């Protein structure tokens, strides 16, 4: 198949970017979106041009590195799919495809489609941990946890931090990401104890990074590759209000 | 974990939710009281004017009305603050944007709907609330201010009825998302009750919106 691509090119964080047109022939429907990008980059190398930079790692849909705005949708037209798991069979021959980086003032575009998601890391650093002494891995059965609880915690922990929730949000809110991290720890006995401090610190950091508010449009749940439920945001709200109401300071 | 102080977006959202839900409760009282307009004309006049006088003379209602004015102002002010923050958070716009495909249009346009409601509210308050409170009105047979006549004569103009229908439609969509969103913001997370909340939001919105929308049309057609 033949494609008309309009791809965002930007030299660095301080310079302005623009959409550049590329024509690509010989794409097969079995290719993943990233393989199609590789093919285009190969042509650019042969022509002696600078390749289009984008993040990727596992290409198995589990690492959360890849992420592009494809035809105006985070990770492309399919719901709950990473960019690497999107295949060219989702597009038509002769189609024009717009490719842009995930946008938010909290995600700096480093070059082309590559963004800095350090803001997510700093939210985690603010409170996404438990203050336990390190050492050997503890005996797994020393703290009994019901199967349902473990599964529920894992549903939240499944977040891969790709940033699609922020990219698709009309307010560039990191509520789904932060909620997933907060709830994951809040429902486990190891994490429960520090919930109030944690949720407060993570909310403060979320704001400091410049993310917007959550207005419950639920778009994030649709685009999230892991299908993290928006009900985590509700629980996160509950835990935040609880922490403020019961805070001693 | 360093605990810092200050207003958070989460805090602003909480106030949006609380003021919004208070306004939702007010609308229930408002629509129930206005149902008296559907009575036969002469009975409606006495009933409606009696009810208006009852409300304006009651101390508790007076206190609630001040909370109501404050709620409207707070709801608008917090909406503006959040909307400015959002613009800053969004940064560079997408060149090609299809994000709207995955969420309902009214949930993404609460600000626009809110602005329409606000403009509508100015007209609504100027024509009824201001007239009742600050101008000399003719009295009915019981010596009560005749608000009923003011209401009925206002809805004799088709364009005015249409204006109300548009304003109320905007209110309807605003409520449809707002009611559910407020409950989500407060933190209702149990799947069973979330479903119930969505259902209640629909029933509430339909009852309020259709109830209000029927009034100008009924008055226009029956007088």
């Amino acid at each position: 198949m033949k494609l008309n691509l309009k791809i965002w090119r930007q030299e660095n964080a301080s310079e302005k970017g623009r959409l550049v047109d590329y024509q690509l022939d010989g794409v097969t429907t079995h290719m993943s979106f990233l393989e199609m990008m590789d093919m285009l980059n190969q042509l650019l190398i042969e022509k002696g041009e600078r390749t289009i930079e984008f993040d990727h790692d596992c290409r198995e849909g589990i690492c959360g590195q890849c992420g592009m705005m494809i035809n105006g949708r985070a990770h492309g037209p399919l719901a709950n799919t990473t960019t690497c798991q999107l295949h060219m069979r989702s597009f038509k021959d002769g189609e024009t495809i717009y490719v842009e980086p995930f946008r938010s003032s909290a995600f700096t575009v480093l070059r082309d489609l590559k963004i800095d998601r350090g803001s997510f890391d700093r939210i985690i650093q603010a409170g996404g941990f438990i203050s336990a002494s390190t050492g050997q891995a503890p005996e797994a059965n020393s703290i009994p946890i019901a199967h349902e609880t473990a599964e529920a915690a894992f549903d939240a922990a499944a977040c891969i931090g790709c940033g699609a929730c922020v990219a698709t949000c009309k307010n560039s809110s990191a509520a789904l990401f932060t909620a997933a991290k907060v709830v994951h720890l809040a429902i486990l006995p190891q994490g429960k104890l520090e919930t109030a401090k944690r949720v407060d610190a993570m909310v403060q950091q979320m704001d400091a990074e410049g993310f917007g508010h959550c207005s419950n449009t639920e778009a994030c749940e649709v685009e999230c590759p892991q299908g993290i439920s928006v009900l985590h945001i509700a629980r996160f709200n509950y835990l935040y209000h609880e922490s403020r109401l019961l805070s001693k300071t | 974990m360093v605990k810092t102080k200050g207003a958070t977006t989460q805090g602003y959202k909480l106030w949006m939710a609380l003021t919004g839900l208070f306004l939702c409760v007010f609308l229930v009282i408002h629509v129930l009281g206005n149902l008296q307009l559907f009575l036969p004309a002469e009975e409606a006049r006495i009933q409606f004017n009696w009810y208006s006088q009852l409300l304006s003379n009651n101390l508790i209602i007076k206190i609630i009305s001040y909370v109501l004015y404050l709620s409207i102002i707070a709801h608008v002010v917090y909406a503006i603050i959040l909307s400015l923050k959002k613009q800053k958070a969004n940064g560079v716009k997408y060149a090609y944007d299809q994000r709207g495909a995955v969420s309902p249009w009214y949930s993404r346009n609460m600000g626009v709907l809110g602005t329409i409601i606000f403009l509508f509210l100015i007209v609504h308050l100027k024509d009824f609330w201001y007239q009742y409170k600050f101008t000399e009105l003719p009295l009915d047979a019981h010596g009560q201010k005749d608000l009923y006549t003011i209401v009925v004569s206002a809805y004799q103009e088709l364009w005015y009825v249409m204006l109300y229908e548009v304003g109320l439609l905007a209110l309807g969509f605003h409520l449809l998302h707002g009611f559910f969103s407020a409950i989500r913001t407060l933190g209702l997370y149990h799947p069973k009750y979330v479903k119930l909340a969505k259902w209640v939001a629909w029933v509430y919105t339909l009852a309020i919106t259709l109830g209000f929308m029927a009034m100008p049309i009924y008055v226009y057609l029956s007088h």
Side-chain angles (χ1 to χ4, degrees):
Chain A
M1 59 199 281
K2 201 174 171 181
L3 297 170
N4 302 309
L5 298 158
K6 288 177 180 292
I7 299 176
W8 189 263
R9 303 299 311 258
Q10 185 171 334
E11 209 49 48
N12 53 47
S14 53
E15 271 176 51
K16 271 195 160 183
R18 65 193 177 92
L19 286 172
V20 177
D21 290 326
Y22 297 95
Q23 255 89 42
L24 192 58
D25 206 352
V27 176
T28 74
T29 51
H30 302 302
M31 282 181 177
S32 76
F33 198 85
L34 295 187
E35 282 166 343
M36 182 277 290
M37 294 293 290
D38 291 340
M39 189 180 166
L40 176 61
N41 270 342
Q42 187 60 40
L43 289 177
L44 293 179
I45 290 168
E46 284 163 14
K47 278 202 263 178
E49 290 177 29
R50 184 170 71 71
T51 53
I52 300 159
E53 294 195 18
F54 58 89
D55 277 321
H56 64 102
D57 190 3
C58 74
R59 298 204 176 196
E60 290 178 338
I62 52 173
C63 78
Q65 276 298 302
C66 63
M68 301 170 186
M69 214 64 183
I70 300 162
N71 273 346
R73 294 267 308 269
H75 292 306
L78 301 182
N80 306 125
T81 308
T82 54
T83 299
C84 65
Q85 294 303 298
L86 176 70
H87 289 78
M88 298 316 293
R89 54 179 170 268
S90 294
F91 300 90
K92 287 194 278 297
D93 187 27
E95 195 172 336
T96 300
I97 305 174
Y98 288 79
V99 189
E100 290 178 74
F102 281 174
R103 294 194 191 283
S104 154
S105 56
F107 290 162
T108 311
V109 176
L110 298 174
R111 182 175 265 186
D112 301 334
L113 306 168
K114 199 166 71 181
I115 54 165
D116 176 9
R117 278 168 290 204
S119 48
F120 270 9
D121 297 336
R122 289 185 292 275
I123 292 177
I124 300 270
Q125 281 166 7
F129 52 83
I130 57 166
S131 310
S133 307
T134 52
Q136 293 245 309
E139 152 59 33
N141 293 320
S142 59
I143 305 173
I145 300 170
H147 175 73
E148 292 77 10
T149 309
E151 286 294 332
F154 197 73
D155 282 346
C159 165
I160 53 178
C162 66
C165 48
V166 175
T168 197
C169 177
K170 69 182 264 288
N171 310 318
S172 299
S173 170
L176 191 64
F177 169 81
T178 313
K181 303 303 171 193
V182 164
V183 173
H184 157 213
L185 293 170
I187 54 184
L188 291 174
Q190 297 96 325
K192 206 177 256 176
L193 300 170
E194 291 171 294
T195 300
K197 259 162 70 185
R198 176 183 304 116
V199 67
D200 194 45
M202 289 175 85
V203 165
Q204 299 283 353
Q205 191 61 39
M206 192 174 78
D207 277 13
E209 296 293 342
F211 290 107
H213 64 289
C214 170
S215 55
N216 301 311
T217 67
E218 303 188 339
C220 51
E221 185 183 292
V222 180
E223 301 296 27
C224 174
Q226 297 295 326
I228 304 283
S229 166
V230 287
L231 293 184
H232 289 110
I233 298 178
R235 192 163 190 158
F236 164 59
N237 290 336
Y238 177 87
L239 293 169
Y240 179 72
H241 303 323
E242 191 187 39
S243 85
R244 302 306 303 140
L245 283 171
L246 303 180
S247 84
K248 295 195 178 86
T249 50
Chain B
M1 284 181 239
V2 184
K3 199 166 175 177
T4 45
K5 285 278 149 227
T8 58
T9 47
Q10 214 83 351
Y12 289 129
K13 281 294 293 180
L14 178 63
W15 280 110
M16 286 295 286
L18 292 174
T19 51
L21 284 176
F22 180 71
L23 296 173
C24 283
V25 174
F26 159 74
L27 287 179
V28 175
I29 311 293
H30 192 12
V31 80
L32 286 178
N34 282 21
L35 286 179
Q36 294 166 112
L37 291 171
F38 292 118
L39 290 169
E42 273 320 299
E43 210 182 326
R45 181 191 307 278
I46 301 300
Q47 245 335 105
F48 191 72
N49 291 343
W50 169 82
Y51 176 72
S52 307
Q53 197 171 30
L54 178 80
L55 292 188
S56 62
N57 289 343
N58 190 312
L59 181 68
I60 296 168
I61 300 290
K62 195 156 229 161
I63 295 166
I64 294 175
S65 72
Y66 284 114
V67 180
L68 186 70
Y69 306 144
L70 267 178
S71 290
I72 295 171
I73 294 166
H75 199 74
V76 171
V77 169
Y78 284 125
I80 293 170
I81 295 173
L82 285 170
S83 161
L84 291 174
K85 275 176 171 278
K86 168 200 102 174
Q87 255 154 33
K88 216 173 139 201
N90 282 345
V92 179
K93 283 198 165 68
Y94 287 107
Y96 185 76
D97 193 346
Q98 290 294 315
R99 291 179 295 166
V102 292
S103 58
W105 70 270
Y106 51 86
S107 76
R108 295 189 310 274
N109 292 290
M110 291 296 274
V112 177
L113 292 168
T115 309
I116 297 172
I117 296 166
F118 189 74
L119 295 174
F120 167 73
L121 201 59
I122 292 172
V123 176
H124 181 58
L125 289 177
K126 180 192 144 292
D127 287 351
F128 300 122
W129 176 82
Y130 179 81
Q131 293 235 27
Y132 192 82
K133 293 239 163 189
F134 302 104
T135 61
E136 285 288 320
L137 290 190
L139 303 179
D140 66 7
H142 291 221
Q144 302 165 135
K145 280 188 172 184
D146 195 2
L147 187 63
Y148 181 76
T149 305
I150 305 288
V151 171
V152 168
S153 49
Y155 296 136
Q156 295 311 305
E157 301 280 346
L158 185 62
W159 69 268
Y160 196 76
V161 173
M162 299 300 281
L163 182 87
Y164 262 68
E165 297 305 311
V166 171
L168 290 168
L169 210 58
L171 176 71
F173 282 111
H174 196 80
L175 289 176
L176 189 57
H177 182 68
F179 188 91
F180 138 81
S181 177
I183 290 171
R184 173 71 51 84
T185 301
L186 289 183
L188 184 79
Y189 64 80
H190 194 292
K192 193 160 80 184
Y193 300 106
V194 164
K195 263 191 205 142
L196 183 72
K198 276 206 169 171
W199 187 80
V200 171
W202 265 101
V203 173
Y204 169 83
T205 303
L206 283 177
I208 296 285
T209 314
L210 296 180
F212 276 130
M213 284 178 87
M215 286 160 194
I217 295 173
Y218 172 79
V219 173
Y220 178 74
L221 294 177
S222 67
H223 285 268

